[in-house]
């Protein structure tokens, strides 16, 4: 089938550089899309490990629903909303917003966008685990993929409000920098999760009668760490893959984007390492011992923190950003739980929200090209705009859903477990969990405490931040 | 009376354990041993399912509490459990008192009521 | 090492488009091959989660054996059989059928074929779980990879019987359409599984004295769902990767196959989503609550249903096919279990067999190019031919194995568990499963039933289909 | 953005073959790098499954630490040490050893190197599980990535001592062959693990008062096998990806390296299959039943055995090497445990050490190009040099760490579990493991043994090898 | 006789539980509590192995059934269990009857034989 | 004396089980049944944590050993356990002896002391 050298005498070889680049770039984009899709079970395991055995089926169900309904919704609605919002907030035209639906050449790109959308939606799940009504969750995830997240993308990558051509971007003479979605994807999901956890209320037993938080251990730290590693694997797709151009065509000839790819890959790696290392050290410092779950959370926070920054910052800047994300996850979690009194089960606000905001706002500080004030202002404004939109939209949706279907399962269902109540199943039918541990959680600590041990003061670390 | 040793043995709901523990501590019998058990009684059977096929689970998860007492009357202990473990719904469980011939503490080697 | 621009003045740059295309296409093929290989643990987990703890080691062992023996067999026998059958059923020559063995340039292609073969073989495992003699299973899997599956490939992709040049294909003036193996791989595995499950007989306790099916819960729905996600990840390799040509060389110049790739990627995604969504709704409709295991099964059935169709159908046609696959999985499973009285443990006939057959037969109905009767007839005939061959060949093999080594473990070994009996191990040595649950399964339901609850009528839904 | 055909009339299409090759090769390298990274959770699960539930958190923590600290160390130290050692042992210059730190174009290559480094470091973890002090482990892993492993790379791939230009290589007129690191990565890790396990001492209860080994079952064979499959998946990246050149530029035109890629992919597959098959047969022969854990170990040993050999040997030679690796794993493990009296928990010396050494030493015997004595001598010498260096360096580091922080946890912490002692956590808070099994392990076997069964003579098989 | 309360306690094979449950229901003593236990008796020890190294497991998985009765003679209950749990192979287990001093039902607060 | 049947019931540390098993075998009472239990006594509560938030676990893992004896004096059995299970640290546990009315062996149908 290949062109014979004899033929090439007659028809001179014609290799269009753009086609070569397109071919290579699309192989790359497809592969990283698959990796990002694989983050879905990563999130499922991360959350499943952090809930009690009786709620694992609900976690799995939410996660599958995010994907199976999310893709359908994002194809027929979400991706179009991106274009519309992008156009409306930059003075463009909304014509053709849904043209991709009938253009096969647009479908690889659509799928590449869809895996980011589903990531944002799935993040919410971890915050509202163990007590949210399944129907309410499903409706929320539908609105998340149909509107809440697409609007954020419209504001940014869709060329709208915060982009260089958008109303705010143009006013400040810069375009909002968030390379792979530290705020667009992660902070959006993390903030929506926080709001949802607030509206749904804390799990029974999460706060004692004095309003002090009481831990509710999950059923498997192993699953949480395995989920973390799967997420990190997918994240290479997420971050490095967003550098979707391997070969660029400039002036008719091909250029290899090796430096850009190298920077993105390196900063992702160092950010992850520094985030994990800082959380390990922080937990060892405040709890006396390095904690696997904190370390895993910090590793993810490090990744979130650099996700927007990877091509823009120096390698040591990336390591600092990642380290900062990892360092903040412990106090941010305690702030959420102890100050805001929000029962964010998997700490998604600390991991995805705070790290995403800080990492993205500080990009100009560590920029390869040096600090630019207008860019910094835009970054801060952008983070604020995205956060505000997400808070407002989530709140409206949640209020509506509360009156429509109710946000929360019954108290009885919550004690029995959502697996039985919402789905009629037992995830581990041969396993009778050791319910006793749960019921001893600090229940009669005061009276029976015979060890005279130290007070649980470490958990108040966030108060000092 | 006080040198008679009794074993108070109760089958209760798992989520009542912490109330029962508190009640026993208050009545002066903090030492106890608990076991995960399953029981059948008047409580209706539950239905389980696996891929939509249903099965009946007539054994419910319960917790067995054992508390051996000597100085404190067994009836006081039983009463404390009765009060703490009740929800007024089927499945609350039972308390039984059994005679104990002798008791020994492993650490000290003490025997009799003192060992309890 | 790279060509300097000075040199290029002397030797004009010579870039052969075919070499460029080959390079890109092979990177792609290698990567998707690895993804498809990764379906192996996906199947292992899917099955492991659906069996009791005492049989998990046997599941792992079968799965590893499928791969470690299967690759050896498929290299020295299977792949050659494909060519021979292809030639014999299209009037071609069988010379050179084994030439690939000594041609390094054929080895990437061989491995790409091998991962499909191992998928077909592994599917069988889920149907015969928890009671099949390990030796018999190993011999069956050897024959599956040496003959049963290769013959199906010979009939189709190997250019034989059903291909446009094969005896039936030529007679009908069309070539059988099954892009990535909905029938060639999945239905073949699913039907062989059904036949094997029939011959091996039902697990002890699966049917009560009246012949009514009694569920035997597996030990971890989490593992089953995790396996499902791993399979879906690998499936992107399976389906999109079968569009192995990224760049084609046409008239000496390169063409990017973006529309084809986009369609395959989109239809795979929508088929999966629709399949999962339909199974979720169906289970909620008939059981009252959305069931995670059904949803996972439906997601896979949706994938199977579109696997043959991905490049051929419209996007909405793909969604409909996937949805149909997901919708059918519940009634098809009940039909298998309650009507055929076959104890297909993981529902492989419903998920791989039925969805594969229906999805492939209906391709012409949703074809991008419109309906063609001869194609439709060929599809139906093709599905029938593959099913018949698989049934016949499996049955012969099973009868032979039954007299040779016996298909089934002893009753005692079955109660103790195959892990102890076949492999002398305990998979979870620290865990004592709650055997009580199992022994209460509907045992004395009639007498003791004190709840006066509804009858278990949902399980009869398939009777009405 | 693409070049229009109109423009191409003016500017003739200029496609530099080197750029095309670089683009394709780098997509490939990035993808396989991600796959190799994913081996990290593979190792975590493999080890986690082989330890008791009370030590799982420590396994996860060690594994995460290997990656998060390892990447930082390997960037600022390790990769530079490679160049320095390479230069010093081949008479070259050490200038520019750290140039990669500030060269973005070098960062993809750095990351590709880093994932191999982390693999070597992580292998050690499995040998010292369940009793090593966490701080000591962390310091050891830092030195492993900063020095022990980089020196080995310097000797070989770094162009030093054993390379064709190195002092030994030049003397023998050959370059040491170890394609993807059977010895450089795996044997280095396996031998360091053996030495560390020796220094740390056996777990409490591993040997009875007569010095006979007593098994300490892990908590989940499923996790071990899942880890094995994840490793095999990553290994395709490891081995096939090391054939990093997809398109080469020769005389200004592109050549597709299809035969090289095909050989590497095939030999990896057959080596894995033969290794697993041989271990399955060996375990069935000596224990009476095919054992899943042995099979999984054999599959990995098969992979290790061919890792250095993949492009150099015939396909049947590769199958033989893999089979030899798998065959040796059982006697090598018993030799380690029963003769050397080293408690190598996961058998890393048998799987990574022995298979790596044997597979690499024998490359010339099965070489595609035929046997060459000087090459064979170099292989044997090379294996010896790497092993000696690793033993010596590990021993020095361990002695130092022992006096610095102590290598071992307290006896009490060991019985309670390292999760509680080192990290203050319970990995499965709802699960009370069945401690009884552990305490019955052969404790009163002699007295109570009422079955009069066969003696446990199979475990002495290694004595006869 | 009928106001004497007895605890019938049996160690049986796990796979005989459902027969025993049925037998107890038939004899009029459906209420029971079961516990997973392990036991050593005349049943030969089993061998386990981990990566080919063998170890002896002399504790076999058993199920303990506890059934407190008042109105029904304990001997009838014991007989029902004896019959239902037998396989004639070593390891079938034992049935013991213990005296109970008093009984209380948590839900109703009833005491004595009525509470059983 | 020797036809009196007694249930010796001990709560011990899990890691002392194998010593206790050995001791019972030596004293001629090899048959026993063990159960995983959790207990509260004089042993100080442990602290657990989940992501740095602490909780108190005042129930410690223990093992319950039940050994019914007829021919061998219950006190000998108790003494054997007392010796084998001791570590001299809080949490060693207790041994109780309870009266047993009757015993039956399921396999043989034997009753009385012979059945034990
Ligand atoms: N006679 C009995 N013998 C043994 N266990 C019993 C007996 N009666 C009740 N139980 C235990 O107590 C639990 C609750 O009893 P149940 O009869 O359901 O509650 P209630 O007394 O509130 O009706 C049972 O599940 C069982 O474990
Ligand atoms: N004297 C005893 N004390 C406590 N438990 C016993 C006693 N005798 C038997 N058992 C329990 O009964 C189970 C079966 O006893 P075993 O002696 O093996 O059966 P069989 O009576 O059929 O020979 C044992 O595993 C143990 O749990
Ligand atoms: N009176 C009692 N009733 C029931 N169980 C008891 C009693 N006293 C002790 N135990 C059991 O014995 C275990 C050890 O007792 P503890 O008082 O901690 O030990 P020590 O006697 O060495 O001080 C407890 O955890 C509990 O399971």
């Amino acid at each position: 089938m290949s062109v014979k050298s004899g033929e090439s005498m007659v028809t001179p070889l014609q290799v269009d550089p753009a086609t070569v680049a397109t071919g290579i770039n699309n192989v790359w984009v497809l592969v990283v899309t698959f990796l990002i899709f694989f983050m879905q079970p990563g999130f499922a395991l991360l959350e499943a490990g952090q809930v009690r055995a009786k709620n694992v089926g609900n976690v799995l169900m939410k996660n599958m629903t995010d994907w199976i309904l999310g893709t359908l919704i994002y194809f027929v609605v979400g991706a179009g909303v991106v274009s519309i919002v992008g156009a409306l907030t930059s003075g463009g035209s909304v014509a053709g917003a849904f043209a991709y639906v009938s253009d096969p050449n647009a479908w690889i790109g659509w799928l590449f966008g869809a895996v980011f959308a589903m990531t944002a939606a799935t993040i919410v799940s971890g915050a509202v685990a163990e007590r949210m009504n399944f129907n309410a969750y499903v409706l929320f995830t539908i609105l998340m993929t149909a509107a809440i997240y697409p609007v954020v993308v419209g504001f940014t990558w869709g060329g709208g409000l915060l982009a260089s051509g958008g109303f705010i971007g143009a006013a400040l003479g810069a375009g909002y920098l968030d390379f792979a979605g530290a705020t667009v994807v992660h902070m959006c999901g993390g903030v929506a999760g926080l709001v949802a956890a607030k509206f749904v209320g804390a799990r029974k037993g999460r706060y004692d009668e004095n309003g002090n938080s009481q831990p509710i251990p999950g059923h498997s730290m192993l699953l949480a760490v395995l989920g973390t590693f799967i997420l990190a694997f997918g994240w290479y797709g997420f971050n490095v893959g967003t550098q979707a151009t391997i070969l660029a065509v400039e002036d008719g000839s091909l250029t290899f984007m090796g430096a850009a790819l190298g920077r993105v890959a390196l900063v992702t790696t160092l950010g992850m390492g520094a985030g994990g290392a800082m959380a390990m050290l922080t937990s060892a410092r405040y709890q006396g011992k390095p904690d696997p779950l904190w370390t895993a959370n910090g590793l993810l926070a490090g990744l979130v923190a650099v996700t927007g920054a990877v091509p823009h910052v120096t390698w040591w800047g990336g390591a600092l950003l990642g380290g900062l994300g990892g360092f903040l996850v412990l106090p941010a979690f305690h702030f959420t739980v102890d100050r805001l009194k929000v029962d964010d089960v998997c700490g998604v606000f600390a991991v995805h929200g705070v790290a995403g905001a800080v990492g993205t706002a500080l990009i100009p500080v560590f920029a390869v090209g040096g600090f630019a004030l207008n860019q910094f202002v835009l970054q801060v404004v952008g983070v604020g705009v995205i956060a505000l939109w997400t808070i407002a939209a989530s709140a409206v949706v949640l209020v509506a859903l509360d009156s429509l279907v109710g946000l929360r399962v019954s108290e009885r269902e919550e004690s029995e477990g959502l697996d039985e109540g919402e789905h009629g199943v037992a995830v581990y039918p041969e396993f009778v969990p050791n319910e006793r541990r749960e019921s001893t959680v600090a229940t009669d600590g005061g009276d029976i405490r015979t060890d005279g041990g130290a007070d649980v003061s470490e958990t108040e670390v966030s108060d000092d931040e | 009376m006080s040198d008679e040793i009794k074993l108070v043995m109760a089958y209760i709901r798992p989520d009542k354990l912490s109330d029962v523990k508190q009640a026993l501590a208050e009545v002066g019998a903090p030492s106890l041993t608990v076991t995960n058990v399953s029981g059948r009684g008047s409580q209706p059977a539950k239905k389980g399912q696996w891929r939509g096929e249903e099965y009946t689970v007539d054994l419910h998860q319960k917790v067995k509490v054992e508390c051996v007492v000597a100085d404190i009357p067994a009836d006081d202990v039983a009463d404390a459990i009765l009060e703490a473990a009740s929800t007024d719904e089927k499945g609350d469980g039972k308390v039984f008192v059994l005679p104990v011939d002798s008791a020994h503490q492993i650490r000290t080697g003490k025997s009799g009521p003192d060992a309890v």
Side-chain angles (χ1 to χ4, degrees), chain A, chain B:
Chain A
M1 311 272 156
S2 65
V3 179
K4 301 288 174 350
S5 55
E7 295 175 342
S8 70
M9 304 287 283
V10 186
T11 315
L13 292 174
Q14 281 299 328
V15 173
D16 176 5
T19 308
V20 172
T22 305
I24 292 176
N25 296 345
N26 274 281
V27 166
W28 173 241
V29 165
L30 282 167
V31 172
V32 299
T33 299
F34 304 161
L35 291 185
I36 303 171
F37 162 69
F38 197 48
M39 293 175 80
Q40 207 65 26
F43 280 111
L45 294 176
L46 180 62
E47 183 180 346
Q50 294 185 63
V51 305
R52 287 161 290 179
K54 64 185 177 184
N55 294 318
V56 169
N58 179 251
V59 171
L60 301 172
M61 197 72 210
K62 287 188 299 180
N63 195 280
M64 288 192 284
T65 309
D66 289 338
W67 179 254
I68 63 187
L69 291 185
T71 48
L72 302 174
I73 301 294
Y74 195 72
F75 188 69
V76 298
V77 183
V81 170
V82 168
S83 301
I84 292 170
V85 171
L88 290 181
T89 57
S90 66
S93 145
V94 301
F98 286 91
Y100 67 92
V101 169
S102 49
D103 175 11
N105 284 300
W107 291 346
I108 292 179
W110 171 82
L111 185 58
F112 186 52
V115 289
F116 286 80
M118 261 34 91
T119 301
T122 295
I123 289 169
V124 176
S125 176
V128 297
E130 303 205 283
R131 79 279 201 195
M132 188 168 182
N133 178 305
F134 180 66
N135 289 335
Y137 181 81
V138 170
L139 292 172
F140 188 81
T141 214
I142 287 175
L143 281 149
M144 187 82 185
T145 40
I148 303 178
Y149 169 78
V151 168
V152 176
V153 180
F155 283 172
T156 52
W157 304 336
L161 200 60
L162 300 166
S164 56
F167 297 144
I168 293 180
L172 283 163
Y176 183 63
L177 298 179
D178 181 355
F179 185 64
T183 55
V184 175
V185 177
H186 291 277
M187 191 185 73
C188 173
V191 166
L194 180 76
V195 176
K198 174 81 195 165
F199 273 83
V200 178
R203 285 166 296 169
K204 203 178 140 192
R206 186 68 176 95
Y207 294 97
D208 65 16
E209 52 280 14
N210 308 319
N212 294 322
S213 68
Q214 301 296 340
I216 299 182
H219 86 299
S220 172
M221 214 179 266
L222 180 129
L223 293 180
V225 173
L226 176 57
T228 299
F229 269 117
I230 292 181
L231 285 174
F233 176 49
W235 223 298
Y236 274 114
F238 207 91
N239 280 8
V240 193
T242 297
Q243 175 62 44
T245 310
I246 302 284
L247 292 185
V249 181
E250 283 166 11
D251 302 330
S253 69
L254 289 170
T255 313
F256 172 56
M257 307 297 284
L261 284 162
R263 183 176 301 278
V264 169
L266 177 68
V267 174
T268 298
T269 305
L270 297 182
M272 165 172 21
M278 282 307 294
M280 178 168 82
L281 295 175
T282 313
S283 73
R285 171 79 184 76
Y286 287 105
Q287 294 163 211
K289 292 172 178 175
D291 184 318
L293 190 51
W294 275 131
T295 307
N297 284 171
L299 189 159
L300 294 180
L303 280 165
V304 172
V306 299
T307 289
V310 273
H312 307 304
V313 296
T314 58
W315 69 260
W316 51 269
L320 286 177
L321 280 179
L324 186 61
F327 169 71
L328 287 176
V329 73
L330 194 152
F333 178 71
H334 283 300
F335 177 78
T336 311
V337 168
D338 294 326
R339 287 294 173 92
L340 300 183
K341 303 283 179 199
V342 172
D343 181 15
D344 176 354
V345 178
C346 300
V348 306
F349 179 64
V351 173
H352 300 274
V354 173
V358 171
T360 308
L362 296 181
I363 291 174
V365 175
F366 301 105
V368 177
F371 184 79
L373 187 64
N374 65 335
Q375 185 69 52
F376 183 63
V377 172
L378 178 60
Q379 294 301 106
V380 173
V381 169
V383 168
V385 165
I386 295 172
L388 283 179
W389 157 253
T390 307
I391 292 171
S394 302
V396 168
V397 168
L398 287 159
V399 167
L401 290 179
D402 196 10
S403 65
L404 210 66
V405 291
L407 291 179
R408 192 160 179 140
V409 301
S410 73
E411 213 173 301
R412 184 178 176 152
E413 187 177 323
E414 192 178 340
S415 353
E416 281 182 350
L418 274 66
D419 289 3
E420 189 169 324
E422 298 288 277
H423 311 294
V425 300
V427 164
Y428 306 112
E430 293 183 46
F431 167 66
V432 175
N434 185 24
E435 294 262 354
R436 301 185 310 253
R437 170 80 45 107
E438 176 187 348
S439 52
T440 60
V441 172
T443 304
D444 35 24
D447 304 0
I448 306 297
R449 187 75 157 279
T450 50
D451 55 352
D455 261 310
V456 193
S457 55
E458 296 88 330
T459 60
E460 275 144 55
V461 61
S462 63
D463 298 353
D464 310 318
E465 303 296 320
Chain B
M1 174 83 190
S2 74
D3 60 345
E4 265 197 354
I5 310 176
K6 298 287 178 191
L7 163 62
V8 181
M9 182 171 101
Y11 304 113
I12 61 168
R13 294 182 190 277
D15 50 7
K16 281 290 165 189
L17 175 60
S18 103
D19 290 346
V20 167
K21 277 168 59 190
Q22 185 109 32
L24 288 178
E26 281 163 12
V27 86
S31 291
L32 51 82
T33 300
V34 301
T35 315
N36 279 327
V37 299
S38 330
R40 181 170 75 176
S42 62
Q43 192 178 355
K46 286 203 302 186
K47 284 192 294 183
Q49 70 166 29
W50 182 260
R51 206 178 357 219
E53 293 184 86
E54 301 209 350
Y55 55 93
T56 303
V57 182
D58 64 357
L59 289 175
H60 299 275
Q61 234 178 293
K62 300 285 166 193
V63 158
K64 173 174 165 180
V65 176
E66 291 167 310
C67 180
V68 176
V69 286
D71 302 328
I72 299 124
D75 282 352
D76 290 8
V77 174
D79 285 349
I81 298 177
L82 284 174
E83 202 166 307
S86 166
T87 67
D88 287 340
E89 277 180 65
K90 283 185 174 177
D92 275 358
K94 307 278 167 75
V95 182
F96 301 110
V97 179
L98 279 79
V100 175
D101 283 357
S102 67
H104 313 264
Q105 187 173 24
I106 294 174
R107 175 163 48 97
T108 58
K110 274 191 217 153
S111 281
D114 283 1
V116 173

